[in-house]
Amino acid sequence: MKRESFRSRLGFLLVSAGCAIGIGNVWRFPYIAGKNGGGYFVLFYLLCLLVMGVPVLTMELAVGRASRRSAVLSYKTLEKPGQKWHIHGWFCLLGCYLLMMYYTTVSGWMVSYFGKFLTGAFHSGMSTDEVASAFGAMLSSPGEMALWAEVVVVAGFLVCSFGLQKGLERVTKVMMLCLLVLILVLAVHSLTLSGAAEGMKFYLVPSMDSIRENGFGSLVTDAMNQAFFTLSLGIAAMEIFGSYMSDEHTLPGEAVRICALDTFVALMAGTIIFPACFTFGVTPDNGPSLIFQTLPPVFINMAGGRFWGALFFLFMIFASFSTVLAVFENILAICMDTFGISRRKAVLINGILIAVLSLPCVFGYNIWSDFRPILGKDVLDSEDFLVSNLLLPIGSLVYLLFCVTKWGWGFDKYLAEANKGTGLRFARWLKPYFQWVLPILIVIILLQGL
């Protein structure tokens, strides 16, 4: 079967950035920044993204581009005879399934809230308690939650069924360009609010008060975590796009561009949220509830609040759905490559499978609310714990060791692949950093997560 490829470099960059840009940027980043007092956290986040995120991203892309295969077969193609690195490919597939088991549910929440603003279910005059209680009402309704989760599953696999160029690339390019326009419009609007100056000062101006309150170690660790997890590295979600890309451009250059787009969206999300929070007297560190319980009352109290609320959740849909499409494509590619089945058959099998596997997360908030499988966590948090705290850091460590040690593919082969083409290159003197410092940083993230 002929290997698919992207129609354009812009398509590769937008699809890859779309995979990285997700709920972690527009949901997690603002409240983690708020918890750490903004300022210094944002600086350390950018530094960690550069020294950790970019190198590990190039490793996933290098394995994909050198092998022209998906997760399992990429290792088999590059590993030495008798080695077992390819076993990690199966854990990558497991990680993608686990991620989509709850990501589709959360994406469904975005669709539901977009509909509520669009149809006027959220409107001016509602009390803060009324708006906040809508989230609990949605969680307690398995029918509503299942409906929107399955809409996301069906829509995602429908797009992917048209193939890489006609489906994933074409739809993601339009969606990502719309996302970038939406986020700029929302950010400009937020900067016109009365509390914008105070909010942006808190967000971007470094203050020693934040370090004194939260501790330097906590701030740096949170910055490392956010920089690492924002790119979804370790489960081959990026590796598959390396297998579709050309040899024209170096991987460090492409990785920097992907990270720049990802970071732009995260920073703009903060620009939307912090001015709004300071204008309406909302604390910006309200954790996961910020998006669904804290911000909707803020929107309905604005002039034209229904419009701005609908735009915000449309932006959230684009951010989450771009990740859904990218991970679905990875699942399909692994199934097509490894089992030799057609795209249509892979879509049908995996569409049914993920539609069913998404239901435990839906039911975990209502009919299975007493089911707490891991460390007393509910279903969604248990699934997220397995992916974010185990599979992503361990998977990234495996990719790293495979690329830079003599027991794997080897640093020289990795470096040659990474530097192939025109653009930014890694220097050979970085080898000790890649072999010794990076693994230690990833182990620190793993241990901190546990």
Side-chain angles (χ1 to χ4, degrees), residues 400-436:
L400 173 62
L401 296 176
F402 179 70
C403 286
V404 303
T405 66
K406 63 182 179 182
W407 299 283
W409 188 26
F411 182 80
D412 290 343
K413 292 178 181 177
Y414 153 69
L415 191 67
E417 183 62 45
N419 288 341
K420 188 188 298 181
T422 59
L424 182 68
R425 286 176 163 79
F426 282 145
R428 185 167 294 279
W429 57 261
L430 287 169
K431 183 176 181 179
Y433 173 74
F434 283 12
Q435 287 188 323
W436 300 105

Side-chain angles (χ1 to χ4, degrees), residues 19-273:
C19 180
I21 294 167
I23 295 168
N25 297 72
V26 293
W27 181 5
R28 192 173 188 270
F29 177 80
Y31 82 75
I32 295 292
K35 186 188 87 170
N36 285 284
Y40 278 114
F41 170 82
V42 176
L43 282 177
F44 279 103
Y45 165 74
L46 295 174
L47 179 64
C48 292
L49 199 63
L50 189 64
V51 300
M52 294 177 60
V54 169
V56 179
L57 175 54
T58 64
M59 290 168 191
E60 274 207 34
L61 293 174
V63 169
R65 191 169 73 172
S67 65
R68 300 293 176 192
R69 297 288 185 271
S70 57
V72 178
L73 294 187
S74 64
Y75 278 119
K76 285 188 174 181
T77 302
L78 301 178
E79 68 188 4
K80 299 177 180 68
Q83 291 186 329
K84 303 296 181 184
W85 292 93
H86 62 272
I87 292 173
H88 175 240
W90 295 110
F91 283 95
C92 290
L93 180 60
L94 173 65
C96 288
Y97 280 130
L98 270 171
L99 179 61
M100 289 299 101
M101 283 167 65
Y102 65 90
Y103 211 96
T104 51
T105 298
V106 179
S107 298
W109 296 350
M110 311 297 182
V111 177
S112 176
Y113 266 59
F114 170 67
K116 284 177 167 63
F117 274 104
L118 199 64
T119 59
F122 288 147
H123 55 82
S124 61
M126 291 180 73
S127 70
T128 300
D129 289 341
E130 282 180 309
V131 181
S133 66
F135 187 56
M138 179 183 69
L139 295 185
S140 64
S141 172
E144 180 185 355
M145 287 239 290
L147 170 66
W148 296 121
E150 302 303 0
V151 164
V152 171
V153 173
V154 171
F157 278 112
L158 182 64
V159 170
C160 289
S161 70
F162 289 98
L164 179 70
Q165 290 186 8
K166 294 181 180 178
L168 178 69
E169 184 177 357
R170 184 167 63 180
V171 171
T172 302
K173 278 169 72 171
V174 173
M175 196 163 58
M176 289 297 295
L177 292 172
C178 289
L179 181 151
L180 294 173
V181 171
L182 275 178
I183 202 168
L184 284 172
V185 170
L186 286 162
V188 169
H189 173 257
S190 276
L191 290 174
T192 66
L193 298 174
S194 60
E198 191 182 355
M200 293 305 289
K201 180 181 176 183
F202 169 85
Y203 179 34
L204 295 179
V205 177
S207 168
M208 289 303 295
D209 292 340
S210 62
I211 293 179
R212 280 191 288 268
E213 288 174 17
N214 301 290
F216 183 72
S218 173
L219 185 146
V220 172
T221 305
D222 279 351
M224 286 171 60
N225 275 327
Q226 181 62 26
F228 188 74
F229 293 126
T230 188
L231 297 172
S232 300
L233 299 171
I235 54 172
M238 286 295 186
E239 185 264 357
I240 189 60
F241 302 125
S243 76
Y244 294 144
M245 71 186 293
S246 74
D247 294 335
E248 292 178 21
H249 302 282
T250 62
L251 298 181
E254 303 299 74
V256 167
R257 290 178 179 86
I258 292 166
C259 288
L261 274 171
D262 177 77
T263 304
F264 172 76
V265 172
L267 293 177
M268 286 297 102
T271 304
I272 294 168
I273 289 170

Side-chain angles (χ1 to χ4, degrees), residues 290-431:
L290 183 68
I291 298 296
F292 297 104
Q293 291 177 290
T294 307
L295 282 182
V298 168
F299 285 123
I300 66 166
N301 284 310
M302 290 179 183
R306 265 183 62 190
F307 172 77
W308 294 112
L311 273 193
F312 179 77
F313 281 100
L314 180 61
F315 155 63
M316 294 292 288
I317 289 170
F318 287 161
S320 60
F321 195 59
S322 61
T323 301
V324 168
L325 290 180
V327 178
F328 279 2
E329 176 62 26
N330 190 29
I331 290 172
L332 294 175
I334 293 173
C335 292
M336 290 187 294
D337 280 0
T338 309
F339 302 114
I341 60 177
S342 67
R343 178 174 286 269
R344 181 173 293 183
K345 191 171 183 179
V347 165
L348 182 62
I349 293 170
N350 286 287
I352 294 170
L353 191 59
I354 292 182
V356 173
L357 290 175
S358 297
L359 295 177
C361 181
V362 169
F363 297 152
Y365 286 99
N366 34 75
I367 58 179
W368 290 357
S369 58
D370 293 331
F371 179 51
R372 298 186 173 269
I374 298 176
L375 302 174
K377 300 174 183 287
D378 61 28
V379 176
L380 186 150
D381 286 341
S382 295
E383 292 170 346
D384 182 54
F385 174 81
L386 291 174
V387 175
S388 298
N389 296 59
L390 292 176
L391 292 175
L392 291 184
I394 292 173
S396 295
L397 189 61
V398 172
Y399 271 115
L400 173 62
L401 296 176
F402 179 70
C403 286
V404 303
T405 66
K406 63 182 179 182
W407 299 283
W409 188 26
F411 182 80
D412 290 343
K413 292 178 181 177
Y414 153 69
L415 191 67
E417 183 62 45
N419 288 341
K420 188 188 298 181
T422 59
L424 182 68
R425 286 176 163 79
F426 282 145
R428 185 167 294 279
W429 57 261
L430 287 169
K431 183 176 181 179

